[in-house]
Amino acid sequence: METSAVGGTIVTPARKRRKFPGAMLTWLAVTPFAAWAVIRVAGLERGSLPTQIMTATPYAAAGSLIPLMIAAVGRKRAATAVALLSSAALAFVVLPRALGTAEATTGRPLKVMTINMLFGRADPATIVKLVREFDPDVLSTQELTPGAVSDLDAAGLKALMPHRVLEDEWNASGSGLYSKHELRPLLGMGMSFGHNMPAARISLPGGKPVDFVDVHPFPPLGPRVTDWNASLESLPSASPDQVRILAGDFNASLDHAALRKLLDRGYKDAADQVGAGLIPTWPANKRVPPIITIDHVLVDHRVGVREVSVRDVPGTDHRAVLAELTVP
């Protein structure tokens, strides 16, 4: 306030400070993670893009701590409560994969190895070296081409695993099962809706035979998400009379409702059982490190899991998965 030279008083109104929209920004940070938690827990992802995004759930679980801190520091009670519930829900579905569960491992040892060969480009010498070192009973291959079959045999696989059920193709649809033991092809174990998924009954010395399916559905890209869902649904359920193992490139993570529905039909993820469920398998041998886990070994609940590990193989964008199991 000041006095004018011509009389009277000039009043200068006080400037109002603009309030920073902290509450709105806090909710903008919290809401996406809350929605993610609801969709993941309830299995509500639909369509191609949401299905692909869901593979990033482990990273969303870690990222959900940021809006939680923002809400807590800003003393936004409602937002803090929602953020805390979201983080807890995401942690509940993710952390068990890194912890594993103790289980009995009595029974006959059975080793399984699976590898997507990327149109047959995976280095055959490395694969055969892994077979010699790991000594798997069964090798499950995806994207197996006729050329890759010849290259693997030339590298020594034929002598190590002479029994095979192959459905190789000159494209991504080729697949094949190799074994140290006698194999008998099985029909009607599920439709692949695109990629070949051979199945076989493996005769184990001194034990009951085991059914094995080489899994490779289409990726859930664009309209193929329908075939992806149908392919996973077509895979056989676990049987009380026959031990079954499904291994390969599922193009799915444990954060996909479609894969969890398959697990609900009597299976468990081998890596998840031993705390290796968060080890990423794709994309390998790229400028960016592997970020998602889409290669799996699924076993029925009678099968014990001793160890699961992954190995890099030059020439392919998938890591090999090696599982040490025990079967009744």
Side-chain angles (χ1 to χ4, degrees):
M1 182 181 297
E2 55 185 275
T3 303
S4 171
V6 295
T9 302
I10 299 174
V11 178
T12 304
R15 293 184 179 181
K16 293 183 178 180
R17 292 185 177 181
R18 299 179 62 182
K19 292 184 178 180
F20 188 73
M24 181 179 68
L25 292 178
T26 299
W27 281 110
L28 285 175
V30 170
T31 301
F33 292 94
W36 197 311
V38 171
I39 293 170
R40 167 56 181 85
V41 172
L44 300 178
E45 74 268 15
R46 298 292 184 272
S48 176
L49 185 58
T51 298
Q52 295 174 60
I53 292 175
M54 200 52 55
T55 58
T57 295
Y59 303 100
S64 68
L65 297 176
I66 297 175
L68 174 59
M69 289 188 293
I70 292 174
V73 170
R75 297 182 180 180
K76 311 298 182 184
R77 293 184 179 180
T80 299
V82 172
L84 182 60
L85 288 173
S86 303
S87 293
L90 291 171
F92 178 78
V93 299
V94 169
L95 286 181
R97 293 175 229 173
L99 301 176
T101 56
E103 61 176 11
T105 57
T106 58
R108 186 201 185 282
L110 177 71
K111 292 183 178 182
V112 174
M113 175 176 165
T114 180
I115 178 69
N116 182 313
M117 299 188 66
L118 186 62
F119 299 97
R121 299 171 189 164
D123 181 53
T126 301
I127 292 175
V128 173
K129 181 181 178 182
L130 282 175
V131 168
R132 285 197 174 98
E133 293 175 353
F134 182 62
D135 191 28
D137 295 275
V138 186
L139 169 63
S140 174
T141 62
Q142 304 86 51
E143 301 197 22
L144 178 72
T145 63
V149 172
S150 298
D151 292 341
L152 287 170
D153 283 344
L157 188 61
K158 189 171 185 178
L160 297 170
M161 310 190 88
H163 306 281
R164 67 266 317 264
V165 174
L166 305 182
E167 296 181 12
D168 47 306
E169 300 278 356
W170 285 109
N171 52 45
S173 292
S175 298
L177 292 171
Y178 293 85
S179 177
K180 296 192 302 181
H181 316 294
E182 184 179 350
L183 294 178
R184 180 167 64 86
L186 293 175
L187 301 178
M189 294 290 282
M191 298 179 62
S192 64
F193 295 92
H195 295 318
N196 299 332
M197 296 202 294
R201 179 160 293 173
I202 305 168
S203 298
L204 299 178
K208 294 182 179 180
V210 173
D211 287 354
F212 204 100
V213 183
D214 187 348
V215 180
H216 191 204
F218 275 143
L221 302 176
R224 283 187 170 180
V225 68
T226 301
D227 288 337
W228 173 79
N229 273 294
S231 189
L232 292 175
E233 289 175 1
S234 75
L235 290 169
S237 300
S239 167
D241 304 318
Q242 183 65 44
V243 173
R244 286 179 178 158
I245 297 174
L246 316 179
D249 172 12
F250 286 71
N251 278 309
S253 78
L254 294 177
D255 292 304
H256 286 126
L259 183 56
R260 297 197 301 277
K261 288 178 181 177
L262 175 59
L263 292 172
D264 289 340
R265 290 194 274 132
Y267 295 103
K268 57 187 178 182
D269 182 88
D272 184 34
Q273 295 298 301
V274 292
L278 292 178
I279 299 176
T281 63
W282 185 91
N285 299 309
K286 301 290 184 181
R287 291 183 178 179
V288 296
I291 55 176
I292 59 177
T293 308
I294 58 176
D295 301 271
H296 306 273
V297 176
L298 304 188
V299 301
D300 78 33
H301 289 283
R302 293 166 295 178
V303 177
V305 184
R306 290 181 172 176
E307 185 178 355
V308 176
S309 59
V310 301
R311 299 288 189 275
D312 291 327
V313 176
T316 177
D317 57 351
H318 286 255
R319 285 169 153 177
V321 178
L322 286 60
E324 296 186 40
L325 314 171
T326 56
V327 295

